[in-house]
Every structure is written in structure tokens, then in C-alpha cells.
Amino acid sequence: MASEKVETVIAGNYLEMEREEGDSKSAKGKLSKLFWHGGSVYDAWFSCASNQVAQVLLTLPYSFSQLGMLSGILFQLFYGLMGSWTAYLISVLYVEYRTRKEREKVDFRNHVIQWFEVLDALLGKHWRNVGLFFNCTFLLFGSVIQLIACASNIYYINDNLDKRTWTYIFGACCATTVFIPSFHNYRIWSFLGLMMTTYTAWYLTIASLLHGQVEGVKHSGPAKIVLYFTGATNILYTFGGHAVTVEIMHAMWKPQKFKLIYLIATLYVLTLTLPSASAVYWAFGDMLLTHSNALSLLPKTGFRDAAVILMLIHQFITFGFACTPLYFVWEKFIRVHDTKSLFKRAIARLPVVIPIWFLAIIFPFFGPINSTVGSLLVSFTVYIIPALAHMVTFASASARENAVERPPSFLGGWAGSYTMNIFVVVWVFVVGFGFGGWASMLNFIRQVDTFGLFTKCYQCPPHKA
């Protein structure tokens, strides 16, 4: 019976996409399919990997200086696996929801399914409200972080303008993402984005090794418990990029195939984050404690400028990834989500960008803001809520019996699944939200006290500010 349900999901979603694309054999149709219409397993993999490692790549060496080399490596491996598990849980709940709705003949042709709708259908309005609050707030600040990162990076190429002015400029540039309809249309951008972060990661690694250790380099981390948990929470944030899992799955022709995509994407991301963070920390040590952007310590060369430019483009793409689900929520709120006019939807989306722009100007603290968002928002959005939702959804024997997707037998079936879920909830609540929230808020408040809100040029050399 379960396999028949799965087939319903696959066939229904595939036909939906086929209706959208049509059978155009024209040159324009072929180009559109190549660059614009993506719904394959590979598109989903590129989207997950590209979205997971963006500007945070530049702050991981900063986290290593807070944690020390060993803890930095272990936390990356640990949270990478934990993030892959909760992304799997989200995919299971999506397929469960989709199957039930398609059995009721619900048509999703002009409707993008979102996480809060999955929670609403499976668990009720209170779960929906909590999920909507955490998801939207996290994605809002995720978009803010991309804007802050744009200003922080471009400053290393052109310091004639301060970082606040660059934030104004890039806010206007990122607003153009309102014209990208959905994750189905990120095919070329996801591919390019991952190539860009791959270049930047290996540039950081090779440039740091060639530079060698600075004179008198010190590796004193972990020195303070506040910094230790701040660094750990930034890594929690790094592997918490699956707040857009449902939207990426909905863009797939066969969403049932998503199960292992996030894990494979995470394994690739680790080949970028572990060498780059380790190499930069090895070369510069404790200097990173006051340089949250790793690019600021490397000498100005053509290779570094290329890395900055590629990261800027990638941050534009990641801004779109974080903001698109917010666009969908806003469209549904003002009842324009079902309209087929791209222009009307784009105009309706513009008000979403304004608060993001404003918050990026108030809190330009590149680095510390990642840990704060990680502890207070990511901990619940993509770790605690999915684990709890999975346990409650399948709490009854009948729900487990009729589940579309059963837990893997090699993990111990339902008992193993519940054990892992309980561990995730307790660990993330105590270590991520509890200790991490305390440490990252203390660090964040220290940045406000030192630099002030609306600071024109965060962590700029005194003579440039």
C-alpha cells in the first residue's frame, strides 16, 4: 500500500511540471529548459549544496579561532550529520503531506507547498503558527546576513565607499530576485553558485598555505567559554541551511528521491569547509578573533579579488534562496500567489525586501550575527521543530503502520528514529539554544557596545572608517 502512495506523489508532481514546461522544441524552449527549468535530482543537489555554504565559508576560520582546531573539525562533522538527519525528517513529512493531499485530489499546479502548510495539515494550527514564526524570522535574518556579507566583501576591493553605503547599493541589486518565480528556476544559478564557493574555498586553503604562518602566530582557542559556544553555534548555523527544503523538494519532478540529497550535499560541503577553515586558522591563529571575514587577512591579489567578486555573485543567489520562501508567504497573505502574471507577483514581493535592507544597516556585525541567528532561530527552525514534528506525527501505531516513508532499518527502524530525534531535541535545546544563545547574545551585545548600531564601517581599519 505504501509503495502505491509513493507512486502517486511521484507521478502527480512529474505531470505538474510537464504541464508547466510543455513540449516546446524551439531553440528558445531548449535554452529555457537548459538554464531555467530545473527539477531533477541534480538540480536539487546543486540547490542544497549551493545554499548551504555561502558567506559562512568566510566566517568559519573565525569560529575555529574561538573553538580551536580539534573542536572546529569535530563540530563541523557532528552538525553536518545532524543537519542531514533533520533535512531527511522534513522530506519525510513533506511526502506524507503530499500523499494525503493528492489522495484528496488537491491540485498544486499554481501553488508552492511550504513547511508551515505541512505542519498545519499534519499537526494543526498551533504547530503551523510556531513553524511559520521561526521559519520566516530565520529566513528574514538569513537574507540580512547575505546583504551584510556583500558589503563586507566588496570593501576589500573598493574601500572608497564605507560598508553602509555598499549595503544600500547591494540591497537594490538583491531586490531583483523578486523576478525569479520559484526554486524551479534556479537551475543555472545553483550550478554557478556552487562553482563560485568551490573556487573561494580552495583559494582560501591554497593562499593560506602559501602565505605560511604569520610571525609569532598563536593558537590559544578555546580560551573563553563564551567564545567557544559562539563558535559552535556559528557551525550549527552553517549546517542549518535546510529551512528551504520543502520549497526545493516541491520544485523537483520526483520529490521522493530527495532522501539522501542533503546528506550527499553536506559531504561535498565538508570538502570545502574543513580544508579552508583549518588552513586559514593554521596561518593566522588568534588574529582571526578580530577579523571575522577571512578575506581581510589575505594579501590583495587578483586571485583574492576574483574570490570576492564570485562570493558577491553567490551572495546574490543565496539572498534569493533565503528570500523566495518569504516571497511565497507574503504572496499567500495578500492573495496573489495563484496569479500567473510574473510582473504582478514581482511588484507584490517588493515590500519584503525593505525590512531586510533596514536590518542590514542597523546590525552590520558580520560574523557575530551568524551565531546569534544560529542559536535563537536555526536551533528551532531546522533542528528541534522537525524532530518533534516527526515524533508527534507518527506517535500512533496506525500512523506508523500507514507511513509513506518508514525509517531506515539500519538505524533501528522507528525505535532508532525516535532515539535520534530525542537526542537532537535535547542536544540542540541545551547546547545550541541554551549555551549557544547565552554566548552569542553576550558577544553580539559586546559588538553593539563597541561599534554601535548603524555603524558605518564594521571592523574597518581606523584610517578608512
Side-chain angles (χ1 to χ4, degrees):
M1 184 67 185
S3 62
E4 288 174 18
K5 294 176 189 171
V6 173
E7 285 302 315
T8 305
V9 176
I10 293 172
N13 206 42
Y14 182 77
L15 288 174
E16 172 195 322
M17 291 299 183
E18 285 298 294
R19 286 191 208 106
E20 269 185 38
E21 290 186 38
D23 297 300
S24 174
K25 300 203 177 185
S26 66
K28 183 181 175 185
K30 286 177 183 174
L31 276 174
S32 177
K33 186 175 180 182
L34 180 63
F35 295 113
W36 188 247
H37 288 295
S40 70
V41 168
Y42 300 103
D43 290 308
W45 183 82
F46 277 116
S47 292
C48 288
S50 179
N51 183 49
Q52 192 177 114
V53 59
Q55 52 71 38
V56 78
L57 183 72
L58 306 176
T59 65
L60 285 173
Y62 167 66
S63 296
F64 269 48
S65 70
Q66 298 170 319
L67 288 164
M69 186 76 80
L70 179 62
S71 289
I73 292 170
L74 292 176
F75 269 117
Q76 280 203 43
L77 295 171
F78 177 65
Y79 282 133
L81 289 172
M82 188 182 285
S84 299
W85 171 251
T86 52
Y88 166 74
L89 298 179
I90 293 170
S91 74
V92 168
L93 293 171
Y94 169 87
V95 172
E96 187 73 29
Y97 164 80
R98 180 89 191 212
T99 305
R100 293 184 188 182
K101 288 296 178 183
E102 290 206 342
R103 211 181 303 131
E104 297 167 10
K105 307 297 183 191
V106 176
D107 186 356
F108 292 109
R109 233 173 315 176
N110 293 316
H111 185 93
V112 176
I113 297 171
Q114 293 190 268
W115 176 232
F116 72 91
E117 293 168 320
V118 174
L119 291 174
D120 187 21
L122 297 179
L123 298 168
K125 66 178 182 179
H126 297 303
W127 281 83
R128 176 200 67 196
N129 294 340
V130 171
L132 186 61
F133 169 77
F134 277 106
N135 213 350
C136 287
T137 312
F138 165 46
L139 291 170
L140 179 78
F141 278 97
S143 304
V144 168
I145 288 168
Q146 298 311 318
L147 264 190
I148 294 169
C150 285
S152 177
N153 288 345
I154 193 64
Y155 185 78
Y156 299 120
I157 288 183
N158 185 335
D159 57 9
N160 293 326
L161 299 176
D162 59 67
K163 292 182 182 178
R164 186 201 296 167
T165 305
W166 280 119
T167 304
Y168 292 137
I169 294 167
F170 280 102
C173 294
C174 288
T176 58
T177 56
V178 298
F179 290 100
I180 301 176
S182 74
F183 285 97
H184 183 55
N185 310 108
Y186 271 94
R187 165 167 273 185
I188 189 66
W189 292 114
S190 297
F191 173 76
L192 290 176
L194 192 57
M195 295 304 101
M196 291 166 188
T197 46
T198 299
Y199 169 87
T200 304
W202 286 108
Y203 159 73
L204 289 172
T205 305
I206 295 166
S208 298
L209 294 174
L210 291 177
H211 181 280
Q213 291 185 310
V214 294
E215 190 176 345
V217 66
K218 290 183 180 177
H219 299 89
S220 57
K224 297 180 181 176
I225 193 165
V226 171
L227 294 180
Y228 187 84
F229 283 109
T230 302
T233 312
N234 187 39
I235 296 177
L236 180 83
Y237 169 83
T238 303
F239 294 98
H242 44 292
V244 294
T245 298
V246 169
E247 288 84 357
I248 290 173
M249 284 188 74
H250 190 79
M252 291 178 70
W253 295 321
K254 298 180 180 180
Q256 178 67 12
K257 291 188 174 182
F258 185 86
K259 285 185 291 185
L260 291 176
I261 287 175
Y262 196 86
L263 174 62
I264 299 166
T266 298
L267 294 176
Y268 179 77
V269 165
L270 286 169
T271 69
L272 305 181
T273 58
L274 286 172
S276 59
S278 303
V280 177
Y281 179 54
W282 169 82
F284 297 101
D286 290 354
M287 288 177 68
L288 285 157
L289 289 169
T290 52
H291 295 80
S292 55
N293 189 327
L295 291 172
S296 65
L297 289 172
L298 289 163
K300 184 175 172 64
T301 63
F303 291 111
R304 192 189 78 160
D305 288 353
V308 170
I309 292 166
L310 292 176
M311 286 305 289
L312 284 171
I313 300 169
H314 186 262
Q315 277 143 17
F316 163 82
I317 297 166
T318 312
F319 181 94
F321 271 120
C323 222
T324 298
L326 295 176
Y327 294 152
F328 293 153
V329 172
W330 179 248
E331 286 171 5
K332 290 168 186 176
F333 180 71
I334 62 172
R335 299 174 189 260
V336 298
H337 184 63
D338 293 336
T339 184
K340 292 184 178 179
S341 169
L342 176 59
F343 184 73
K344 281 183 184 175
R345 287 176 67 192
I347 295 300
R349 290 170 167 190
L350 280 173
V352 176
V353 181
I354 295 168
I356 294 169
W357 213 345
F358 187 62
L359 286 167
I361 293 161
I362 299 177
F363 304 117
F365 311 125
F366 185 68
I369 194 171
N370 294 20
S371 299
T372 309
V373 170
S375 61
L376 303 183
L377 299 173
V378 175
S379 55
F380 283 95
T381 305
V382 293
Y383 293 100
I384 294 174
I385 292 175
L388 285 174
H390 187 266
M391 288 193 287
V392 176
T393 299
F394 298 108
S396 67
S398 61
R400 293 194 297 276
E401 181 66 30
N402 295 314
V404 176
E405 182 71 42
R406 295 167 184 271
S409 56
F410 67 87
L411 289 177
W414 288 106
S417 170
Y418 269 72
T419 302
M420 290 183 69
N421 288 343
I422 291 167
F423 174 78
V424 168
V425 171
V426 173
W427 176 276
V428 175
F429 185 79
V430 174
V431 177
F433 176 70
F435 290 116
W438 162 74
S440 56
M441 281 304 295
L442 277 180
N443 191 37
F444 189 81
I445 291 165
R446 192 175 298 137
Q447 305 304 313
V448 175
D449 291 343
T450 305
F451 296 96
L453 299 176
F454 296 99
T455 185
K456 283 183 74 173
C457 214
Y458 176 64
Q459 287 189 343
C460 297
H463 65 281
K464 307 259 179 162

